[in-house]
Amino acid sequence: MRFSVFVILVLVVMSAAPVAAQSAEPQRFDIAAGYAFMRDQDIANKNPDISANFPAGWMASVGGQLWQGLGVAGEVRGSYKTISIAGDQPKVRVYTFMAGPRARPSHSRIAPFGQVLFGAARASTSVLSVIDTVTNFAYQPGGGVDLKVSGGLGVRLEGDYRIIRSEGKNSKEPAFVIAALFRF
């Protein structure tokens, strides 16, 4: 909860801040790929002795403008960790496949955005060559800022708060992304 309030606060402050002059022709499509760091709040709450961080991860996304300030985004993400316990160490993998609306009020050098993505989260755990996999509905409010470096090249800084609905309960996974951004 604290993470989502932080993301919303950052977006409000950034959208109120003055931004650089808008470009004459905004880019209509973007592709981003980069590093994703995730934390599983359920692991942290249930067993404080096991790290809830997923330090190995990646993200790839595509986006497009539909109208001034409103577009769509699709994202695929993978997060990995090996749990350090005695014996065969379980390997955990979480993949998400999501899409949804993205609001971006400007196309300047510093362009904040907000989005809500919906889709599927697929988690698998492997121990002693036995793999257990489950797929559930997920939604992911988040936002960030695209920083223009030169031409159509930029950097994306993004924070998300993914919620996975499973067996009547919510699993919460805040995440941070840093990615290379290509605008067309």
Side-chain angles (χ1 to χ4, degrees), residues 114-168:
Q115 62 188 18
V116 180
L117 305 180
F118 302 90
R122 182 177 178 93
S124 66
T125 306
S126 60
V127 180
L128 298 172
S129 300
V130 176
I131 299 173
D132 182 32
T133 302
V134 63
T135 303
N136 292 299
F137 172 75
Y139 60 99
Q140 177 177 295
V145 62
D146 290 342
L147 307 168
K148 184 177 179 180
V149 175
S150 107
L153 181 63
V155 174
R156 173 169 291 165
L157 302 174
E158 180 179 333
D160 302 303
Y161 195 75
R162 182 184 313 134
I163 299 162
I164 301 171
R165 189 77 177 150
S166 174
E167 299 177 5

Side-chain angles (χ1 to χ4, degrees), residues 27 30 65 68-71 102-107 111-114 146 156 181 183:
Q27 288 81 15
D30 63 62
Q65 281 303 113
Q68 180 65 26
L70 182 64
R102 176 184 289 161
R104 176 174 299 154
S106 79
H107 287 279
F113 66 90
D146 290 342
R156 173 169 291 165
L181 176 66
R183 292 182 178 173

Side-chain angles (χ1 to χ4, degrees), residues 54-77:
F54 284 66
W58 55 269
M59 181 278 303
S61 75
V62 295
Q65 281 303 113
L66 299 175
W67 300 281
Q68 180 65 26
L70 182 64
V72 294
E75 179 182 285
V76 179
R77 194 179 293 184

